[in-house]
């Protein structure tokens, strides 16, 4: 998990590392960092610490041990946490400051002008290795404002860039330069994004910046997890093939990928969103997915400022599984369960509040002070989730989402054209149906019955005008979805209509383990991953871009061009849980979509959508 050192500019003393932990504490540390290590290795590392060997010797020895015997768990959040910890530790030189103890940091952008010199502080610089950032670092080093500099790049940096920095460092203040592979967003331990909302342009080719960022982000994911994988991609997708070839070449040529591998090589599977255009259109009923669909989650933050009943201090809240225990334990619960669990949380808070209401004796005061941080944390958790659930409930009721969602699931799971056409028209005719929900139903109908000789889109498009859309806009959006992910664009039998046998299998699979009518739909990703785990992925459908192959992988890293959804993240979480650690899957893509962001992606990627620019699309998506 260590970052790759690029260059040291100053001779550093061989400071000794004090022994601050017992053998049991070391075991807990490795467990926290997500590293599996047996008792013998723990003892070997413990003896190194006990002997107080020089730091550089210790780190080199630990690296050799890790490369030889330690298996890093597939946890993206822990990978990035460890990198950040290492940055801070590198600059502390064993000293603890009051600021760090209180988790107070001074943040500055590298391009900020007229910053005041602070020679008593050390600077930790974390930047992308772009030409502009190299120039900013050169300028900073020529006119230094801090005592020393520890520079960390989010991906591989060229030797020429390092040489430019060395020439600019006339005062010899740079203590370290390393590559820490963090060019992606770790949203949960098993979900990542490279944060590119628009992946392609018409003709099904990459949007240039998205390709650069996706390549860099995906390589960063592999390096941070220390994986040198077999690379497979979805056949028929030029975008998937191009990305797969680029990553495969990097794995082959870059010495950073020379990791010790297990017998079963990891698998990198690059998929295309177009093969499953259905999943991002659906309303969601699990907590995390529902919040993103109805309120929107951006970098683990939710903006509630547009809702008039939400207090000002809750206008922006953090929804992070790392920081919020209640959210972590309930983000995959369904709508009914989360309501009950929030009620229990409120009851717990009220009980706690009553117990603290009477503070008279010294002992009671002492107990209150000791529990006050937890009390405040519980209070904030209650306020946040009550506010979120309150807004979700209002939207569900006002927009009649239960009835709409039931129809969405029926269209996905069954083939009853006449019944579905009538139901879609009835819902679109209501004034209470929102524009976005009308578009969902129209697009689902267009995709499901694209090849049905009885399909009738004209009355559906006309009814969409009742919800403020112009006929041209409605027609353009409905046409765009079939151009984006219609029958001719897909390589899979998404609706199980290729043969009676495939339809029967899909129907039986849909009836099995269905909790309620709102969760009948299963993402195509689930079927693909189950096939991969059985070693039955056909090379005609998923060609291999590397010289090696693997039949039954234990570690699978998925990257979806065009973005993923929280429903698919739930599917991956369930697969990980059911396999109990025997198989580990990580999911990511260009973006994590809700319906609104997905429709912008569709418009950007199609001629029917006009290959719309970002500014124009705001007028098209309600």
């Amino acid at each position: 998990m260590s970052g790759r050192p690029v260059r040291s500019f100053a001779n550093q003393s061989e400071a000794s590392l004090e022994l601050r932990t017992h053998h049991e504490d070391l075991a807990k540390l490795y467990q926290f960092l997500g590293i599996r290590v047996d008792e013998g290795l723990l003892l070997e590392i413990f003896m190194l610490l006990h002997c107080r060997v020089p730091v550089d010797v210790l780190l080199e020895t630990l690296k050799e041990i890790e490369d030889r015997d330690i298996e890093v768990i597939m946890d993206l959040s822990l990978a990035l946490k460890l990198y950040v910890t290492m940055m801070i530790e590198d600059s502390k030189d064993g000293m603890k400051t009051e600021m760090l103890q209180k988790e107070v940091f001074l943040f500055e952008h590298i391009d900020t002008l007229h910053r005041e010199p602070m020679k008593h502080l050390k600077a930790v610089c974390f930047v992308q290795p772009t030409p502009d950032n190299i120039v900013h670092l050169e300028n900073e080093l020529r006119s230094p404002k801090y005592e020393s500099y520890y520079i960390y790049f989010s991906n591989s940096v060229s030797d020429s860039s390092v040489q430019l920095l060395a020439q600019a460092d006339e005062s010899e203040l740079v203590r370290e330069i390393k590559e820490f592979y963090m060019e992606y967003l770790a949203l949960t331990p098993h979900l990542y994004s490279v944060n590119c909302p628009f992946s392609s342009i018409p003709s099904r080719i990459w949007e240039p910046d998205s390709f650069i960022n996706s390549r860099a982000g995906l390589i960063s994911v592999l390096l941070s997890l220390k994986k040198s994988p077999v690379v497979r991609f979805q056949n028929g997708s030029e975008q998937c093939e191009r990305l797969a070839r680029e990553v495969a070449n990097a794995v082959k040529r870059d010495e950073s990928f020379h990791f010790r591998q297990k017998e079963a090589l990891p698998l990198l599977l690059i998929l295309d969103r177009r093969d499953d255009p259905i999943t991002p259109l659906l309303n969601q009923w699990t907590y995390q997915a529902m919040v993103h669909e109805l309120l929107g989650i951006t970098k683990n933050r939710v903006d509630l400022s547009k809702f008039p009943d939400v207090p000002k201090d809750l206008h922006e809240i953090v929804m992070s599984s790392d920081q919020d225990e209640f959210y972590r334990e309930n983000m995959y619960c369904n709508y009914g369960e989360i309501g009950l669990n929030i009620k229990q949380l409120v009851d717990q808070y009220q009980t706690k509040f009553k117990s603290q209401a009477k503070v008279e004796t010294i002992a009671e005061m002492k107990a209150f002070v000791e529990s006050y941080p937890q009390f405040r944390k519980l209070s904030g958790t209650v306020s946040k989730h009550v506010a979120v659930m309150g807004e979700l409930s209002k939207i569900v009721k006002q927009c009649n989402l239960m009835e709409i969602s039931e129809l969405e699931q029926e269209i996905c799971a069954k083939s009853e054209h006449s019944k579905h056409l009538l139901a879609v028209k009835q819902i679109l005719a209501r004034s209470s149906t929102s524009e976005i929900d009308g578009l969902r139903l129209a697009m689902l109908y267009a995709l499901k019955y694209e090849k049905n000789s009885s399909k009738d889109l004209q009355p559906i498009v006309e009814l969409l005008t009742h919800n403020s859309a112009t006929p041209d806009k409605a027609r353009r959006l409905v046409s765009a979805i079939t151009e984006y992910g219609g029958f001719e664009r897909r390589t899979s039998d998404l609706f199980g209509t290729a043969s009676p046998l495939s339809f029967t299998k899909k129907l039986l699979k849909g009836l099995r383990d269905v909790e309620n009518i709102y969760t009948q739909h299963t993402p195509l990703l689930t079927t693909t991953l189950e096939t991969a785990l059985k070693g039955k992925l056909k090379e005609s459908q998923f060609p291999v871009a590397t010289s090696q192959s693997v039949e039954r992988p234990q570690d699978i890293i998925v990257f979806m061009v065009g973005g993923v959804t929280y429903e698919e993240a739930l599917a991956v979480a369930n697969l990980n849980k059911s396999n109990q650690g025997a198989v580990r899957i990580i999911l990511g893509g260009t973006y994590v979509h809700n319906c609104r962001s997905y429709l912008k992606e569709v418009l950007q990627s199609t001629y029917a959508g006009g290959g719309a620019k970002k500014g124009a699309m705001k007028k098209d998506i309600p």
Side-chain angles (χ1 to χ4, degrees), residues 332-398:
Y332 298 139
C333 292
N334 65 42
Y335 183 54
E337 292 172 333
I338 195 65
L340 293 175
N341 292 345
I342 287 179
K343 182 181 183 304
Q344 291 176 0
L345 183 68
V346 172
D347 292 342
Q348 179 187 352
Y349 170 74
Q350 289 177 335
T351 302
K352 187 78 172 176
F353 180 79
K354 289 177 181 177
S355 69
Q356 302 294 350
K358 187 177 180 181
V359 179
E360 297 178 352
T361 68
I362 297 297
E364 290 172 345
M365 291 179 188
K366 183 175 181 295
F368 176 78
V369 170
E370 289 174 350
S371 64
Y372 186 68
Q374 292 79 18
F375 181 69
R376 284 198 62 188
K377 182 178 180 180
L378 179 60
S379 173
T381 300
V382 170
S383 301
K384 175 171 67 176
H385 291 289
V386 168
V388 168
M389 194 62 182
E391 298 308 321
L392 293 179
S393 301
K394 290 177 187 176
I395 295 172
V396 168
K397 184 176 181 179
Q398 291 170 358

Side-chain angles (χ1 to χ4, degrees), residues 68 81 122 166 179 226 241 267 277 339 385 406 424 439 474-475 483 544 620:
R68 186 177 75 243
K81 279 182 181 180
K122 300 169 185 176
E179 295 164 347
K226 301 185 71 174
E241 181 172 2
L267 171 64
H385 291 289
E406 182 179 352
V424 169
L439 286 169
R475 202 171 291 111
E483 180 189 335
V544 182
D620 291 315

Side-chain angles (χ1 to χ4, degrees), residues 87-144:
M87 289 184 210
I88 297 172
E89 290 297 328
D90 282 344
S91 65
K92 281 165 61 179
D93 290 338
M95 295 182 294
K96 293 183 178 179
T97 67
E98 187 175 348
M99 285 181 66
L100 288 173
Q101 287 175 339
K102 293 185 177 180
E103 301 182 16
V104 178
F105 297 84
L106 172 65
F107 292 96
E108 293 279 10
H109 288 285
I110 192 69
D111 58 351
T112 301
L113 300 176
H114 310 301
R115 281 180 281 112
E116 294 183 9
M118 297 184 183
K119 296 293 186 179
H120 60 291
L121 294 180
K122 300 169 185 176
V124 175
C125 305
F126 178 62
V127 295
Q128 290 181 301
T130 63
D132 286 346
N133 284 338
I134 297 298
V135 171
H136 290 314
L137 286 171
E138 287 182 83
N139 294 335
E140 178 69 28
L141 295 176
R142 289 194 179 98
S143 179

Side-chain angles (χ1 to χ4, degrees), residues 321-341:
S321 59
D322 286 337
Q323 301 176 15
D324 186 334
E325 181 182 358
F326 180 84
Y327 181 60
R328 180 171 62 251
E329 293 176 353
N330 291 276
M331 61 186 186
Y332 298 139
C333 292
N334 65 42
Y335 183 54
E337 292 172 333
I338 195 65
L340 293 175
N341 292 345

Side-chain angles (χ1 to χ4, degrees), residues 164-178:
L164 289 173
L165 296 181
Q167 293 171 359
D169 186 27
E170 298 174 355
S171 302
E172 297 185 351
L173 297 180
V174 176
R175 297 291 177 262
E176 192 159 56
I177 292 184
K178 282 185 179 180

Side-chain angles (χ1 to χ4, degrees), residues 480-620:
I481 195 66
T482 51
E483 180 189 335
Y484 178 85
F487 182 82
E488 301 298 332
R489 303 295 189 189
R490 303 192 300 268
T491 60
S492 65
D493 184 17
L494 181 62
F495 294 108
T497 55
S499 68
L501 180 60
S502 63
F503 175 75
T504 302
K505 286 182 177 178
K506 183 176 178 63
L507 180 61
L508 291 174
K509 182 178 178 64
L511 293 175
R512 195 169 58 240
D513 298 327
V514 172
E515 294 182 9
N516 56 56
I517 58 175
Y518 305 109
T519 57
Q520 298 177 69
H521 172 259
T522 300
L524 178 65
L525 176 66
T526 302
T527 304
T528 303
L529 288 173
E530 288 174 346
T531 305
L533 293 174
K534 296 174 183 175
K536 294 184 178 181
L537 281 182
K538 295 180 180 179
E539 192 162 343
S540 59
Q541 294 178 313
F542 301 95
V544 182
T546 47
S547 57
Q548 295 175 299
S549 186
V550 59
E551 290 189 0
R552 296 175 71 93
Q554 292 180 336
D555 293 338
I556 301 178
I557 300 164
V558 179
F559 184 89
M560 192 172 292
V561 177
V564 296
T565 67
Y566 281 117
E567 182 182 354
E568 288 159 328
L570 171 60
V572 166
N574 288 336
L575 283 172
N576 283 329
K577 183 178 180 180
S578 64
N579 284 284
Q580 298 180 336
V583 176
R584 302 172 300 186
I585 306 169
I586 282 177
L587 173 66
T590 47
Y591 201 67
V592 178
H593 282 303
N594 57 18
C595 187
R596 287 175 172 80
S597 64
Y598 173 61
L599 293 188
K600 292 177 184 179
E601 165 86 19
V602 169
L603 287 175
Q604 171 78 8
S605 305
T606 57
Y607 289 110
K613 301 299 180 185
K614 297 177 185 178
M617 281 184 290
K618 291 180 180 178
K619 300 176 183 178
D620 291 315

